[in-house]
Amino acid sequence: MFSAISALNGASYSGAVDVAETGLRGMISLRGDFASKDFAAAVWQVLGAALPAQRKTVMGKAGRVVWMSPDELLAVVEYGAAPKLAADLRTALAGQHHLAEVVSDARAVFSLTGAGWREVLAKGAPVDLAAQAFGPDDMRRSRLGQVAVAFWMVDDQSCELVCFRSVAAFVFDWLKTAAAPKTLPGYFQ
């Protein structure tokens, strides 16, 4: 019998900040016309969330909805709920140009927790992570050590980062190295 496991089976590291693979997370890639009232209504009906603004995230009844591009959202939901939610989205969007596919097993999610999480990400992501430029519910698609990632701020003490499963071990090792004790420059503190 098949039993799903996350990319790194919940690996964690405690250094200047805590880095942890969050385990199995459901993810749905949803594409469509954000200007369509019917598209927005379907997202509200199924995910319980309004469409997020550009480079933002919103929490809905099913989980976090992340803006990924002008026509793409990423719904981060409970792992077991993703297939049904994707099917419900396809039903709600019938007749409209759209894509709603489960991508849970193609991705890995990491949490960074601690006051220095901005410092860790700034070591490898070419993004302005100053508090006035990157705040709660902000997200960015970027690179980390030349690997594609997306990350969003959860609160002042934490953020989450998603990458392709195929590079999860590299990203985890990169984050561990960047979060080594006594290596944070203190630029944002």
Side-chain angles (χ1 to χ4, degrees):
M1 183 75 175
F2 170 75
S3 180
I5 60 169
S6 64
L8 300 178
N9 206 19
S12 64
Y13 169 80
S14 187
V17 302
D18 293 332
V19 177
E21 188 216 16
T22 64
L24 293 172
R25 297 286 286 277
M27 286 175 259
I28 302 164
S29 179
L30 178 61
R31 288 185 171 262
D33 180 4
F34 290 6
S36 165
K37 290 180 183 176
D38 292 335
F39 183 84
V43 170
W44 179 261
Q45 174 190 337
V46 177
L47 301 175
L51 296 181
Q54 183 176 359
R55 296 189 303 171
K56 293 286 189 180
T57 74
V58 295
M59 286 301 294
K61 69 179 181 186
R64 187 174 299 273
V65 179
V66 182
W67 181 95
M68 297 296 280
S69 74
D71 71 343
E72 180 185 7
L73 301 175
L74 180 68
V76 183
V77 299
E78 291 294 322
Y79 182 81
K84 180 173 182 345
L85 289 169
D88 291 348
L89 283 164
R90 286 189 289 272
T91 298
L93 292 166
Q96 293 184 60
H97 179 74
H98 73 281
L99 174 124
E101 291 299 325
V102 177
V103 296
S104 309
D105 296 330
R107 307 285 196 282
V109 181
F110 296 93
S111 66
L112 282 76
T113 307
W117 67 264
R118 291 175 192 275
E119 309 274 342
V120 171
L121 287 181
K123 289 181 178 184
V127 173
D128 184 354
L129 291 167
Q132 61 272 24
F134 191 78
D137 296 322
D138 279 348
M139 73 77 58
R140 297 294 185 272
R141 286 181 85 163
S142 188
R143 299 262 179 213
L144 188 72
Q146 299 305 311
V147 174
V149 297
F151 51 87
W152 50 88
M153 183 174 172
V154 176
D155 57 41
D156 287 339
Q157 294 293 310
S158 63
C159 78
E160 289 189 329
L161 179 144
V162 63
C163 67
F164 288 108
R165 183 183 184 108
S166 61
V167 296
F170 170 82
V171 170
F172 181 65
D173 288 344
W174 192 97
L175 290 169
K176 285 190 324 185
T177 301
K182 300 182 182 180
T183 65
L184 302 185
Y187 183 75
F188 296 117
Q189 297 176 359

